[in-house]
Amino acid sequence: MSAQTYLAYDYPLLSVFWSILLFFLWIMWFVLLFRVVVDIFRDDELSGWAKAGWLAFTVLLPFLGVFVYVIARGKNMGRREIAQARAQQEAFDAHIREAAGAKGGPSSIDELAKLSEIRARGDITDEEFRRAKELVLTGHGPAEHAGSTARTPGH
């Protein structure tokens, strides 16, 4: 029984809070370090030598380098991050529009609905509807091809 055992009350509550605070401050510093390094590479206004200088400064003297960078160039870090986020959002929106087929023209569903309305009015025959539907579904032409075969009322 000579071995000493430590119980929870041997480590005071204030020491627990202090340890947690230091742990989170350490994590926050690493997050700031990585954001600074990413910002160095993201900035198009910096020349290659300036990027190398800032990177060397932040790697060789990390605490001083990060704090000097944040003081000297921190004002525009947020602007560069917002600009990059907007560019990514615009690229994503463009990709979604392209994938959805909203390229400015009517979709094949819209064209088929118009063809169905034209056929229901009796402006085209079932055979003309079938040919126009095949053109729309194969992507070889919009519903305007059906309009060229459509008969005007009274003819």
Side-chain angles (χ1 to χ4, degrees):
M1 291 255 198
S2 65
Q4 188 175 8
T5 58
Y6 291 101
L7 300 175
Y9 60 80
D10 290 334
Y11 196 64
L13 186 61
L14 188 59
S15 294
V16 171
F17 289 143
W18 183 249
S19 298
I20 291 173
L21 177 69
L22 289 178
F23 178 73
F24 281 113
L25 287 175
W26 188 249
I27 290 175
M28 285 176 38
W29 185 83
F30 272 112
V31 168
L32 182 61
L33 174 68
F34 291 129
R35 285 192 64 188
V36 165
V37 170
V38 167
D39 189 64
I40 289 170
F41 286 109
R42 179 185 296 152
D43 191 5
D44 293 332
E45 296 174 3
L46 284 177
S47 68
W49 288 107
K51 287 181 183 185
W54 276 113
L55 190 62
F57 190 38
T58 57
V59 169
L60 296 176
L61 299 170
F63 288 110
L64 183 64
V66 166
F67 292 130
V68 170
Y69 186 87
V70 169
I71 291 169
R73 300 186 45 85
K75 183 178 181 181
N76 293 326
M77 280 178 68
R79 292 182 184 140
R80 284 187 290 274
E81 189 169 342
I82 289 171
Q84 189 222 11
R86 282 186 183 146
Q88 283 181 339
Q89 184 66 40
E90 289 171 5
F92 178 75
D93 292 344
H95 175 71
I96 293 297
R97 280 192 297 275
E98 180 182 324
K103 297 176 185 173
S107 68
S108 59
I109 295 172
D110 295 334
E111 292 178 12
L112 288 174
K114 289 177 186 177
L115 282 173
S116 180
E117 289 176 17
I118 293 171
R119 182 181 66 165
R121 285 193 313 244
D123 292 341
I124 59 174
T125 64
D126 287 337
E127 179 62 27
E128 291 170 331
F129 174 76
R130 186 188 58 76
R131 284 188 303 205
K133 183 172 82 169
E134 287 175 11
L135 285 173
V136 169
L137 291 177
T138 58
H140 290 301
E144 285 80 28
H145 289 306
S148 64
T149 60
R151 293 177 284 132
T152 57
H155 283 113

